[in-house]
Every structure is written in structure tokens, then in C-alpha cells.
Amino acid sequence: MVNRFLVLLALLALTACARPQSAGFVAPVPEASRETIFIATMRTEGQRGQMFGEKRSTVMSYAELNISIPPNHQIGRIERSRGQIDARRHFAPLSATPLANSAKLNERLKASRISAEEPLLIFVHGYNNTLEDAAFRLAQIQHDFELNNPALLFSWPSAGDPLGYAYDRDSVLFARTDFARLLEALNRAGQRRVIILAHSMGSYLVMESLRQLALEGKTHNIDALEAVVLMSPDIDPDVFRQQAGEIGRLPQPFIIMTTQKDRVLNVSSLLTGRKERLGRIQNAEEVDGLDVSVMDFSLFETGENMGHMVPVSSPAAIRFLRRFTKGVGLAANEFSRYVLLGESRKDGRLLQ
């Protein structure tokens, strides 16, 4: 009874942090920035005034979405409106164009590419996300990390409800085959440089999809990936080890981003039997023997979302990663102060 009461209190706390949702599109303003993202989703259309809702579809839908980012945007934040949307002050959807099939998606991805040197980023969102939540987050990532090319959002049918944890876990299993088929389609179309960024429960979906490709003997689709990053992964470490073993050779680099300040994964631990999640491991022993690297962001401020998205919501973490990924030199003490970068080793230590 005590455990159930703690879980209920934790879920109520998450519900209290519920975010507003916009309905319809707004007119652009000249002083705002604009980001284009592409969408592949297993959500059904037209629920509660949204472009796509939480119900599951057996047919993949595709779209091109334009999002406005306000001129007063603060790095790491998503400025949302609780009333009428003002593109001068809020993230705002400008337009959405349906795409008929994966071939049309690939055509538009190639046509919209600005930098030939920049890989395609695929973002897989986590638990308790509407499509708008995930689209705004991806637009914020594109803007704050100064990405040149539009990215692709795979939006599986999350309920977008803090009380929908079980529904979301089932939706991950519902959508895992479709994400695997999407990776195949991108590979066939010549998308040879692909990075997957998966958040929270979306990490579970990605691992299940890679596992399925491996079991089907389609490892060339896994080998084609340039990198995989799991941010605050909501996965049991034992399950992750089993998934990784069945996948075999993991894409390189394969990075797990963790933080001990993640209060959302605390709730997940309560819901799943008080077992620590992969996104809160404290040393590399949990992934010993696997060809993965662990980055611990515990010393960064938590940013938005209760410490659940520190690498993309903390201004200091974003600035650090932006310099790190662009090859800008960092002093050794600056690196070790913030991030423990470890590859699993026999002694199970995180390298510093």
C-alpha cells in the first residue's frame, strides 16, 4: 500500500507539470526563426484538434512540419503558451504538409538538405509525449545545436498522459516493427549517414527495433547507422544487456547519457519494481563488456523536465556538447568536471 501511494503521489506530481497544447496553425512573424522537421508516425489523425493524436494506427503517416521559434528564445527551453499563441513569444506550428509515402519522405529529405557533411538526425521521443511535444523538442534541438539540415521525428503513439505509462510501454512494442521498416526504407533510399537520438522510453523502442533487424538477419541496416545516442534511457539494465547481446555488433559510437538528478526515472523505478533504470546507472559495471560509452550529466543543472532531458535542456550542457561535437578543444579539467565519459571495461570503471 505504501509503494502504491508513493507511485500515485509521483504521478500526480508529473500531472501537475502538464503542458499546454496548441490547436491549429499561426501566421509567421519576420523576427522569429523557423525550423523544418519531418515526421513519420504510427498515430491516427485528427484527435482533440491535433494533427495526430494518441491512438494507434497500423499505417505509417508522413508529414513535413514548419515550426516558429520566438526571438526571445532561451537556450534549452521550449516557450509554450497557456492561452493564445503569439509567435513573437512562443513556439508555434506554422504549417504541415502530408507526404504520401516513404519515397516522398526521402525525396523531401534529400531536397531540403543544406549540408552534405551533416548526417540525418532521427529523434525518437519518450513517454508522456504528444506529437506537438516531440516536434517542439526536436525543433529546439535543431535550433540550439545549430543543425543545418532538417531532422526526422519518429513519433510512436504515446498517450501524452502521465497516467499512461502502461499504455506507452505497449505502444513501444506496437511500433517497434514500423521503426525497423523505416530504417530499412531510409537505407534503401541511400540515406547512408544516420544518427539516432532516442529519449527515455523511446530508447527501449530503438533497442527493440535494432534487435528485430538483427534477428531477421538484416544487420546491414544496423551497420549503416553512424551513431546511436540513448538519452536518459528508461530501460532495465538487465533487459538492455540482453537486447545488446542479441543485436551483436552495436553501431559506433553508441552513447548512453545518464544523470543522477533524473526525477522522472525515479518514478519509473517505482512503477517497475524499484529497480534502477539504465539512465541512472552510477558506474560502467552495469554495461560491462558491451561496446558502449556512458556520459554522466549529473553535475549540470537539471534544466526543464525534472532533470529528464539535461543534455538538451540545460544551457551549460548544450554549450558543452555543441563545442564537443564540433571538435572544439576542451581543457581536461573542464571535461572531467562535468562529464564522465566511459567505455565499459573489465574493471567496470567510468573513464575520466
Side-chain angles (χ1 to χ4, degrees):
M1 289 297 294
V2 173
N3 287 346
R4 290 179 182 176
F5 181 67
L6 290 174
V7 171
L8 179 59
L9 285 179
L11 288 173
L12 288 174
L14 290 177
T15 305
C17 299
R19 64 282 180 208
Q21 298 292 316
S22 60
F25 302 103
V26 303
V29 296
E31 59 267 37
S33 303
R34 182 182 298 193
E35 295 289 346
T36 297
I37 68 170
F38 292 91
I39 297 169
T41 184
M42 299 304 296
R43 297 175 183 267
T44 55
E45 299 180 8
Q47 297 157 42
R48 297 186 297 180
Q50 302 174 33
M51 181 178 174
F52 292 98
E54 77 278 4
K55 293 184 179 178
R56 301 165 183 147
S57 171
T58 57
V59 178
M60 184 92 77
S61 296
Y62 308 93
E64 181 175 344
L65 183 62
N66 288 300
I67 295 173
S68 174
I69 297 179
N72 66 335
H73 168 66
Q74 298 179 32
I75 187 170
R77 294 197 60 194
I78 298 177
E79 290 83 6
R80 305 286 286 261
S81 168
R82 293 196 172 274
Q84 186 174 359
I85 299 176
D86 182 352
R88 294 175 181 82
R89 297 185 296 121
H90 309 128
F91 274 63
L94 299 177
S95 65
T97 304
L99 302 174
N101 47 44
S102 63
K104 188 64 176 177
L105 170 70
N106 277 292
E107 179 184 318
R108 289 295 303 134
L109 281 170
K110 291 177 180 178
S112 63
R113 181 179 296 159
I114 296 172
S115 171
E117 301 302 316
E118 191 174 279
L120 171 65
L121 174 67
I122 303 178
F123 179 55
V124 184
H125 62 76
Y127 148 73
N128 183 25
N129 267 236
T130 65
L131 187 139
E132 179 179 289
D133 294 333
F136 281 0
R137 178 59 67 185
L138 180 52
Q140 174 258 315
I141 291 171
Q142 287 186 175
H143 184 274
D144 289 350
F145 282 87
E146 301 175 347
L147 304 184
N148 295 303
N149 296 336
L152 173 61
L153 166 66
F154 181 75
S155 185
W156 50 278
S158 164
D161 182 344
L163 300 177
Y165 191 85
Y167 179 89
D168 280 12
R169 286 290 292 265
D170 288 343
S171 288
V172 160
L173 300 180
F174 175 85
R176 60 185 170 182
T177 299
D178 299 284
F179 185 63
R181 300 291 87 85
L182 176 65
L183 294 179
E184 288 184 82
L186 291 170
N187 194 17
R188 284 195 305 269
Q191 296 285 354
R192 294 290 183 261
R193 302 193 62 201
V194 174
I195 292 177
I196 296 176
L197 171 62
H199 177 238
S200 188
M201 199 180 286
S203 302
Y204 182 45
L205 188 152
V206 168
M207 290 300 293
E208 282 294 292
S209 298
L210 297 182
R211 172 181 174 273
Q212 180 163 333
L213 287 170
L215 294 176
E216 292 172 348
K218 299 176 179 178
T219 54
H220 60 284
N221 294 289
I222 303 173
D223 296 337
L225 297 174
E226 190 158 305
V228 173
V229 180
L230 306 184
M231 178 172 56
S232 302
D234 187 2
I235 310 177
D236 183 305
D238 295 335
V239 173
F240 175 76
R241 177 174 293 280
Q242 190 76 4
Q243 291 170 322
E246 293 177 346
I247 292 168
R249 186 170 65 248
L250 295 172
Q252 292 302 309
F254 194 105
I255 299 171
I256 301 170
M257 293 180 167
T258 70
T259 173
Q260 297 305 303
K261 296 178 180 178
D262 193 328
R263 289 181 286 161
V264 174
L265 287 187
N266 277 343
V267 176
S268 178
S269 295
L270 290 172
L271 290 168
T272 54
R274 305 181 72 85
K275 185 149 189 330
E276 206 73 273
R277 311 307 283 168
L278 185 64
R280 282 180 54 88
I281 59 173
Q282 299 183 42
N283 57 61
E285 291 180 356
E286 298 283 4
V287 289
D288 182 35
L290 304 177
D291 198 5
V292 304
S293 298
V294 179
M295 299 183 75
D296 185 349
F297 287 77
S298 298
L299 293 182
F300 286 94
E301 70 270 29
T302 57
E304 294 183 321
N305 299 95
M306 301 173 69
H308 197 40
M309 301 193 82
V310 171
V312 298
S313 66
S314 160
I318 291 171
R319 293 187 186 100
F320 174 88
L321 285 172
R322 199 162 58 194
R323 294 166 62 198
F324 180 63
T325 56
K326 290 185 177 182
V328 177
L330 294 167
N333 62 343
E334 180 182 5
F335 187 83
S336 60
R337 175 187 174 194
Y338 287 124
V339 179
L340 303 175
L341 177 62
E343 295 181 357
S344 64
R345 301 170 55 183
K346 290 183 180 179
D347 60 8
R349 291 181 298 143
L350 288 175
L351 303 180
Q352 296 189 50

